[in-house]
């Protein structure tokens, strides 16, 4: 049995070089939790499943950031993997977007991006405080600093690795 921790994370999907889907994940976003689940999900993205998923991701109806977390057909919209599973078979799904969440690595502890164009998974780590880290050039989420009361600030989550779908 896996112990579920309240570890906030993010799952994004890139289609046509654009981060089109950005999902907040509330629980167990660690690499051994959500990270492993994202890898398992990517393993299934082949042939017609990949084409359908790509088409469905392009058709997502993005709800404004901060909209209530509710997605039709999903019991827990704060479970990014559950939303992705519904997105495999559902067109024009209305999804609350949280594409900016990885920009604040104090709160976003881990992030995973499925790049459907490159067929890769990108892995990001949070807690990129300005005292111990430097901004990452070319970071998908930028290199700006998010300030918080009582601390020096945080850079976006840092890219720590990539994995091809075929190697997952």
């Amino acid at each position: 049995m896996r112990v579920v921790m309240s570890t906030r994370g993010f799952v994004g999907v890139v289609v046509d070089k654009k981060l089109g889907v950005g999902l907040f994940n509330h629980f167990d976003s660690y690499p051994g939790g959500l990270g492993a689940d994202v890898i398992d999900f990517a393993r299934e993205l082949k042939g017609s499943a990949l084409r359908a998923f790509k088409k469905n991701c392009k058709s997502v109806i993005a709800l404004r950031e901060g909209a209530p977390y509710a997605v039709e057909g999903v019991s827990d919209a704060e479970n990014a993997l559950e939303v992705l599973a519904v997105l495999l078979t559902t067109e024009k799904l209305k999804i609350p977007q949280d594409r900016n969440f990885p920009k604040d690595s104090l709160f976003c502890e881990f992030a995973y991006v499925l790049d459907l164009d490159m067929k890769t998974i990108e892995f990001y780590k949070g807690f990129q405080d300005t005292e111990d880290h430097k901004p990452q050039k070319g970071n998908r989420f930028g290199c700006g600093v998010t300030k918080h009361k009582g601390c020096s600030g945080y850079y976006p989550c840092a890219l720590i690795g990539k994995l091809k779908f075929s190697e997952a």
Side-chain angles (χ1 to χ4, degrees):
M1 183 173 104
R2 188 163 87 189
V3 176
V4 179
M5 302 291 292
S6 181
T7 309
R8 294 162 298 206
F10 172 87
V11 176
V13 181
V14 171
V15 181
D16 296 337
K17 300 180 182 176
K18 179 182 163 202
L19 185 63
V21 176
L23 305 169
F24 171 77
N25 190 75
H26 190 81
F27 293 103
D28 199 18
S29 296
Y30 288 104
L34 180 62
D37 291 341
V38 168
I39 290 170
D40 289 343
F41 184 84
R43 279 190 188 117
E44 304 303 317
L45 292 177
K46 298 174 187 155
S48 61
L50 177 60
R51 286 189 298 278
F53 186 63
K54 198 173 199 177
K55 177 183 170 193
N56 294 346
C57 286
K58 286 181 181 184
S59 76
V60 161
I61 298 167
L63 302 177
R64 65 175 169 68
E65 293 204 21
Y69 272 83
V71 178
E72 188 176 330
V74 176
S75 63
D76 180 6
E78 290 185 348
N79 179 331
L81 199 69
E82 192 175 333
V83 176
L84 289 179
V86 171
L87 195 50
L88 266 174
T89 59
T90 309
E91 285 187 72
K92 298 183 180 166
L93 192 61
K94 293 179 182 175
I95 300 177
Q97 296 293 302
D98 218 343
R99 290 181 220 135
N100 289 321
F101 188 55
K103 290 181 180 182
D104 188 349
S105 71
L106 173 61
F107 293 106
C108 184
E109 299 172 66
F110 296 95
Y112 310 94
V113 175
L114 294 161
D115 186 328
L116 302 185
D117 302 327
M118 302 302 293
K119 296 185 181 82
T120 58
I121 307 166
E122 298 171 1
F123 301 90
Y124 292 83
K125 186 172 185 324
F127 299 119
Q128 303 298 310
D129 66 305
T130 56
E131 292 179 14
D132 298 326
H133 299 88
K134 296 191 183 303
Q136 217 177 30
K137 290 183 181 175
N139 185 322
R140 178 181 297 285
F141 302 108
C143 57
V145 175
T146 302
K147 297 278 188 179
H148 295 280
K149 188 175 183 176
C151 68
S152 59
Y154 286 80
Y155 294 113
C157 292
L159 179 67
I160 58 170
K162 292 183 182 183
L163 181 68
K164 291 182 182 283
F165 288 2
S166 61
E167 297 169 352

